Amino acid sequence: MASLTDYNNGGCTASGSTPSQEPDELHAAVQHLLRNSYFPDAEEWTIFDYEGLGDLKLGEYESLETVNKIAKGIEEHGQTFTTWVSYVGAEHHKQLDRFEDQYRGEWESADLEDSVENVALSVLRGSIEALDATPDRTVVQDLWLEDAHAMADELTRHEALGSRAADFVELVKRGANLTYCTTSAGELEALTADQSFDWSIVEEAGKAHGFDLALPLQAGHRWLLIGDHEQLPPYRFEDYRAGIDNLDLVVESLQRLPQNASGLLDWEWVAAWRERPSAARREFIDYAHDWLKTFKQVFAHCSVAVGGGDAGEKITTERSGGAAAGMLVGQHRMHPDIGELISRAYYDEKLVNRTVDTDGIPIARVQHGYSAPDGIAGKAIVWVDLPWCRNDPRTHERGPRITRTTSPISGNQPCSSPRGSSVTLLTRRKSRNSYLVVPENGSVGSDQSPSPVRTGTSCP
């Protein structure tokens, strides 16, 4: 710990303390530090350095009570406690005290059938089996067989860390033809430090932010991004857009975060933002807006990368044409009337329905069995006239789950009578659309609230 006043004025008054000391002893050490400052008015102190906390990052202004609780937890439970601190947050003392209730043990890795450890173990066992069946082994084969037994035993007992088995696991990992993981996996970061891949394939890329895509794109010589920017946007898209719109306020707020945002704040970027003139800030905000939907921008650029310019965009649909972007236009899961609606609303009428027979009749698996309320039989699309609900608090989203309505319109069993029936309302997968809701005392086709039903087979 050190006096912040001394540090800011070019001096240094510091002292070392044992973090597992009681909080009152730590406070006494701080007061002693400040009393011996070069500046009589010294009142602030900071944590400049620490050790013994593993990968845990402490802020410069972490409370002494928090430091003490973490240090005692590590003394009692070892470095595993630091993982718990990172998970629940250092400031949540009550949650920190629940470590023993949640602790289930410690493993080298998850025991997944296709994990790199189990693949390595399978390779070793195959080698052992083959060599055991070899009658006249060479000296080198005998040495390898001995090593293979030892490494297999270490992997079986999850004791490979720092051993020959760990080196073999790394060799298997780097020799794999296919590696799959999340876009932010720590092992991917370690791999890409000195290794690259022929292809980097990202599924649901339309829901990924640019920072999610950065690591896998850096790792691959070629990219295949699979997604749909016309469906759900990236996670918390509206929050990120609001942050970009108010970037000056965001920067000010970031600087006020305690403990230097747990050491994560990029002060060089903050300083660079302060120095930008207004026009440059506006230009950056416009650029960030354009690239907030990263996949959409990548798709747009790839669409004109081959045959662009005066030739316009070039997109592969049903036959390969050498384009850098492509679109799967055949739909195989929806009733053709629904497919037509979605094609018109989102895809410029480019979708081709593959759910009809040779006579153009919808196939059986995409037809429903509902017969009530009146007018619904044989119709793939039903329009229900209901009160506008944007300002109704009952229709607001509640966390990550889909909005729960209080309407009796629910369920998924076929209806058989016009009253007391249940149907399912489907809404388009588009975040800007509001949910429909029926009043609590009403139901489609009921006497209490006669909501008229309009049927149709195309977009109105």
Side-chain angles (χ1 to χ4, degrees), residues 194-274:
D194 56 3
Q195 181 176 342
S196 59
F197 297 86
D198 295 327
W199 280 92
S200 183
I201 303 173
V202 183
E203 170 68 317
E204 289 289 0
K207 293 187 65 177
H209 286 285
F211 52 79
D212 294 319
L213 296 172
L215 191 57
L217 297 190
Q218 176 187 340
H221 289 291
R222 298 179 180 87
W223 307 341
L224 176 58
L225 306 184
I226 306 170
D228 188 350
H229 51 272
E230 297 293 351
Q231 294 193 30
L232 293 176
Y235 177 64
R236 298 186 67 175
F237 175 80
E238 298 295 340
D239 291 335
Y240 280 100
R241 184 163 62 182
I244 291 173
D245 287 335
N246 299 278
L247 205 49
D248 287 330
L249 179 59
V250 169
V251 172
E252 292 178 12
S253 300
L254 286 173
Q255 296 175 80
R256 293 196 298 267
L257 287 175
Q259 294 88 45
N260 191 26
S262 298
L264 299 177
L265 183 57
D266 186 345
W267 282 101
E268 291 186 5
W269 184 86
V270 170
W273 179 258
R274 289 173 178 167

Side-chain angles (χ1 to χ4, degrees), residues 356-378:
V356 295
D357 59 21
T358 54
D359 296 323
I361 306 300
I363 59 179
R365 67 177 174 83
V366 298
Q367 299 187 53
H368 66 76
Y370 292 104
S371 59
D374 292 337
I376 199 175

